[in-house]
Amino acid sequence: MKLFNAITKASLVSGFVIVGVNNAKSQDFHLSMYDAAPLFLNPAMTGVFEGDWRIHLHHRTQWKAVNFKPYTSYLASFDMPYNKWGFGIQLQNFRAGWGNYNAFQGLLSAAYTLSVDAQKSHNISFGLQAGFVNKSLEAGLHTFNNQYVTTNGGGFDSELNSNENFARQSVFVPEVNFGTMYYYAKQQSRLNPFVGFSMFNLLQPKETFFGGDNKLPLRTYINVGTRINITDLFFLIPKALIMHQKPGQEINFGLDGGYYLKHSETYLLAGTLFRNKDAFMLYLGARKASYIAKIGYDINFSTLRPASSGRGAFEISFTYMKQKAKPREGKICPRL
């Protein structure tokens, strides 16, 4: 029985992958510290910062408690502003389960920003991403319910025919995403509100390992919040993110905070995120000069909690922004 429980836990998450990829109800991968990765959140954020160029690195490990090969997410992006334009590139790799399901994505990104007032405080940006996604798995590593045998205490016999007919084990699909964002950039103001809308999988490409007529559904994000400058040294950012991908929906509520240490010229950062019916995330971080680093952890309270014991995901992010030689007053997205 112990062997069966161990195998069942390990294969549970891995099994979700095959079902999800070939079912219109599947959900794309996502991050808890979503706004730390600007090009991942919204193509309209490409190049929207004060500096010469920016590089971002992100890593997430999830479900290590229920699978000896947990979900792992790696992301790297580079972007830079040029006049009113922003240009960038983003690479992502996601791997899940002992069947080695893998999704690699490469995207080019461009954005254009308009100021709608003479003071350049109210700004709207529009962004577009285009590229490809390669999804693959090793079918021979997966086990299925008809391969479970009761002999010798129970277990899976991989020599039994699974009756699953994989037409292929690797697929390439095109990816096109769009986003727009409004933000108030006057840094001396008490409030700096922002709101963004982005759409992913605009082409709704067909993807399947079985040769079926399965289309990847649209995924939409709405993110909203405001930076509240409590004092010259302390700020808060209440925020929310709503994600929808047919027929699922995910709602996130968060609160970020930062305190400036004058003697070291460093911002201490902290925040929390509540994801409905799923997890509670805490993170700590710091920003000094051109560097921003954050580390967070998800505490799981979904229906998987009996197996996970509350252990959800570990996440870390790092951002470097090359500062301009002579900083100027400009359009700065107030997300940090």
Side-chain angles (χ1 to χ4, degrees), residues 27 29 62 91 116 124 137 185 227 253 266 278 300:
Q27 297 292 297
F29 292 83
Q62 187 173 7
L91 302 176
V116 296
I124 300 177
L137 56 77
R227 173 171 172 147
F253 297 101
T266 301
D278 183 40
N300 170 247

Side-chain angles (χ1 to χ4, degrees), residues 48-60:
V48 183
F49 64 96
E50 183 69 10
D52 290 325
W53 50 267
R54 171 174 61 183
I55 187 170
H56 177 77
L57 303 174
H58 211 114
H59 171 64
R60 177 180 173 91

Side-chain angles (χ1 to χ4, degrees), residues 13 30 32 59-67 69-73 275 278-282 296-302 304-315:
V13 177
H30 60 270
S32 290
H59 171 64
R60 177 180 173 91
T61 300
Q62 187 173 7
W63 304 132
K64 192 174 183 179
V66 298
N67 199 340
K69 280 193 173 183
Y71 283 20
T72 57
S73 304
R275 188 160 52 245
D278 183 40
F280 177 77
M281 188 272 290
L282 296 170
Y297 192 81
D298 284 20
I299 301 170
N300 170 247
F301 57 80
S302 71
L304 193 60
R305 183 179 176 85
S308 70
S309 300
R311 291 172 289 175
F314 168 80
E315 199 166 319

